[in-house]
Amino acid sequence: MTDTDPARVAEITKRESARLAERIPRSIDFEKRASQSLAGGVACSWHALDPHTIYGARGRGSRLWDLDGNEYVDLHCGYGVMVAGHAHPKVVEAVRERVGLGTHFAMPVEETVEVAELLAERFGLPLWRFKNSGSEATMDACRIMRAAAGRDLVIKVEGCYHGSSDGLAFSYWVDAETAGPSERPVAVPNTAGVPEVFGAALRIVPFNDLGAVERVLVDEGDRVAGMILEPVPMNVGVIPPEEGYLAGLRDLLHRHGAFLAFDEVKTGVTIASGGATERFGVRPDVVALAKAIGGGIPVAAVGGTEEVMRVLTDGTMEGEGTFNGNPLGMVAAKAVLSEVLTPDVYPRLEELATGFARDLRDVIERHDLPATVESVGCRGSIHWRRDPVRRFRDETETDDKLQHLAWLFQLNGGVFQPAGDPWAFSVAHTSEDLTRSVEILEAFASAVRA
Ligand SMILES: Cc1ncc(COP(=O)(O)O)c(C=O)c1O
């Protein structure tokens, strides 16, 4: 077992950064203009890439093109939104037709009900409301649990990301030095501007640790409304839940009169027709969905049992939002759920995923790279360390520099994927698309091991 040579990694990173700059002169130039009117030249802080932001132009199926005309196999899929593939004809047709009929009425339309029915069937939860972003969906998921339980505290997992609302923007990517003991982490705001006071309504636990949740419930169970988590964390790479963890959480919480919410913004309708809820056979009280359900149009949803959703049906809780259930989003979601991401596509996604993970592992083993592969359905990631990651703090021990270089290689080789986040592929991807990424990993491995 040999570690990679940091000096060599730095030297190749310099070379690959220069290669990238040669490939994207228009993007580099455009960034100057963009920065005059967009803060930092981007609409979302995550769009800013190191060493250069890349501006996009168009997409079709498994491919996207940047402003310079470079074609990429898209393994980013817009943070996992585009599992339907870019510009899927069924989504394009549905949206085009709706635009001409008017797109906003402050009235639910037929499709609002149809999409709720489709989601109810997939997730086994009877009642739904719509939102426009994952942040709103997770915010409402917590509000519903709090209103239904008549309690204030919510348990949150360190390393899970639930969006940008003040109430949940805590303990995502934290500095282990300031985040307290790993078994009993403290709530740390994700960014400047989030008042610490919101963290007082959270209790933070490590992932895959039932004992930590039980300790919170024993100490403060009568104040805990529920727990929210990504059932498969996908914002610090992919971390699979250990056998029995999700079912154990539900039992523990219910024993203490508290609820369980799955944030399925990334896993919902991607890793199975009914997301993690179906894949792991654990039905939570509340599910938050977004990203892939809209096929590229902003749509989010919150579903729940009769017991929790009664707070909305009886008016105990207000569920607001001007654009909730916007008809444009609803027709897109209907097309995605009934014509594109239909239950029969998941076995093929699974087969592609298994082959992809196997081929990546093969490269890693042959070159003795310090890396492990996690793959769950069409989502997966390489953790740049030798031991598997089972909770967030393990991820802080990964080799960032190697990860960054591997990402640069993919970019220069024509594969766009998130820097550090999981890959996603769509129903339009082929095994050849995925093989391109494997071949690039091979080239990267040969370069760092030469
Ligand atoms: C698991 C999870 N929940 C919530 C969100 C927030 O979604 P949005 O960015 O649509 O607000 C994200 C975004 O990446 C996410 O990954």
Side-chain angles (χ1 to χ4, degrees), residues 94 97-98 101 107-123 125-130 269 289 293 299 301 325-339:
E97 191 179 321
R98 181 76 247 176
L101 297 171
M107 287 175 187
V109 292
E110 279 182 357
E111 287 86 356
T112 324
V113 177
E114 288 170 339
V115 176
E117 288 167 353
L118 288 164
L119 293 176
E121 202 182 316
R122 286 188 183 216
F123 289 86
L125 291 168
L127 292 169
W128 292 79
R129 280 284 175 93
F130 292 104
V269 314
L289 297 170
I293 62 170
V299 181
N326 170 260
L328 200 60
M330 291 296 101
V331 297
K334 182 184 166 188
V336 167
L337 296 172
S338 62
E339 299 190 84

Side-chain angles (χ1 to χ4, degrees), residues 46 133-135 161-163 230 235 263 265-266 291:
W46 294 340
S133 69
S135 300
Y161 176 74
H162 302 297
E230 293 178 76
N235 282 286
D263 174 352
V265 166
K266 278 195 164 165
K291 297 199 195 281

Side-chain angles (χ1 to χ4, degrees), residues 160-174:
C160 281
Y161 176 74
H162 302 297
S164 53
S165 72
D166 283 341
L168 280 169
F170 283 84
S171 299
Y172 159 45
W173 198 281
V174 290

